[in-house]
Amino acid sequence: MLFRLLVPLGLLCALLPLHHGAPGPDGTAPDPAHYSFSLTLIDALDTLLILGNVSEFQRVVEVLQDNVDFDIDVNASVFETNIRVVGGLLSAHLLSKKAGVEVEAGWPCSGPLLRMAEEAARKLLPAFQTPTGMPYGTVNLLHGVNPGETPVTCTAGIGTFIVEFATLSSLTGDPVFEDVARVALMRLWESRSDIGLVGNHIDVLTGKWVAQDAGIGAGVDSYFEYLVKGAILLQDKKLMAMFLEYNKAIRNYTRFDDWYLWVQMYKGTVSMPVFQSLEAYWPGLQSLIGDIDNAMRTFLNYYTVWKQFGGLPEFYNIPQGYTVEKREGYPLRPELIESAMYLYRATGDPTLLELGRDAVESIEKISKVECGFATIKDLRDHKLDNRMESFFLAETVKYLYLLFDPTNFIHNNGSTFDEVITPYGECILGAGGYIFNTEAHPIDPAALHCCRRLKEEQWEVEALMREFYSLKRNRSRFQRKTVSSGPWEPPTGRFSSPENHDRTGEKKPAKQKMPLLSCPSQPFTAKLALLGQVFLDSS
């Protein structure tokens, strides 16, 4: 049954448009906005390998190298471009050797997919050049920031970068990506209310909350997810401590009978007694911090909704026990299946496989059409919409497959691994512990250490140059004034602190900080002003 669900994946990838400049069927140039930047190909690429389709993975890698161009006239979401394009390319880059792709010398610290990921990420950097350090929402990949761009961005659109950007910094040796991601995370942390909650949308210029509904669902969700996954990926205790503080506030003010409602961020009063399908990631996140009992209770609540409709409606009114008007659809989202996979790995509870079985049967029966799997427009009568989201291939199919494939390499427990010799030393990859970004693109945490020596050498050269010029300056002063300066001190840390003010408003001593776009290795085009919402749907 699961095999039948997955067979069309290779055909779908083969039929997708490949390049924004490719001629249309009548020989005319197509609309670039329609072709975008081969999003579905990138988003589904690592799914091919996880399903074992090595030959198609190799073919798509060649297609992407030959055809993808990010210099196109498309308004793109900073958030979506990061999680789907940057995340998808990074994951495919790190998995390419396992897929039998011939990698270049220096891999995983270099490679065509890594360069593509870096190019895409650099298109996003100027979005972070705001007074708060929190990014705008939308960027035109060719022309930059639209003059009238709104400064209002959702919380998730600000706090969902650390996984991809820290990985990119580690592999390329350029700390700018991780730096801006950390600053954005800290600005949100500093903006929380006195009762420890964050709202839904904020003005990135003023730092004032525009939408003050607090919850775990749409507009907020992946911010919490990235605090946990960033903490695990980077072994960062501070990020985990931040999440645990949020978790206390979420339990105190939003949890009712193992459901999570929406509340006013300053008062904690209920504003929306609804369950959103996007919230179904939460039990999986709870499992990552070891909170299995609470995770299972909440999961079972969500599973009852699935069994009621054969899917999760976008909004579900908890007191009434029914869908919310105009929110009755199910675009084949992965979140409940994602949680089932995490919890099954943690518990082995067969109830979780039952959800997987129900999901396969529902999707197969209701949404399968000739050219793919259609969004369910209305779960009450199972009417379909003429579209299929790329996250169905990137996430839903992947999590379903992994739920039923306990021997997949993704589930490796460290008993096997690959030893890679790089120009910077020996490197261990493929030992397991993969961290999925919020678009289900797996990142091998060991890869972040493969290129560290290169970065340390760069910092060492930088420190030596500073020492050289410091001594030269001091010698000049001595010759003029016969006064010597104190001993040179090396830089005290990699990151300049994003915390210029503490919670009381007291200003902290400012630290020198390099401009975000001062790196001489950047191409001139990267210095264009750009900003932040890609594929302009509600997903």
Side-chain angles (χ1 to χ4, degrees), residues 69 81 107 134 236 251 258 265 275 302 319 328 375 385 399 447 495:
D69 181 5
T81 303
W107 182 90
M134 295 186 285
D236 190 311
R251 288 185 181 182
D258 298 308
M265 66 176 289
F275 157 62
Y302 298 166
E328 306 94 345
T375 287
D385 202 356
Y399 285 131
F495 299 103

Side-chain angles (χ1 to χ4, degrees), residues 79 82-83 155-162 164 185 222-223 226 438:
F79 170 81
N82 175 56
I83 66 170
T155 302
I158 293 167
T160 309
F161 293 91
I162 191 65
E164 299 84 2
L185 283 176
S222 50
Y223 169 48
Y226 271 40
T438 197

Side-chain angles (χ1 to χ4, degrees), residues 323-341:
T323 60
V324 175
E325 186 178 0
K326 297 183 179 180
R327 293 292 187 271
E328 306 94 345
Y330 172 52
L332 310 183
R333 291 195 186 278
E335 283 76 17
L336 189 62
I337 301 163
E338 172 189 0
S339 285
M341 187 209 72

Side-chain angles (χ1 to χ4, degrees), residues 377-395:
K377 188 175 183 179
D378 194 328
L379 278 168
R380 297 171 300 177
D381 55 17
H382 294 169
K383 288 182 179 178
L384 301 180
D385 202 356
N386 187 23
R387 64 183 294 157
M388 182 182 75
E389 301 289 348
S390 75
F391 58 67
F392 173 70
L393 300 179
E395 302 183 74

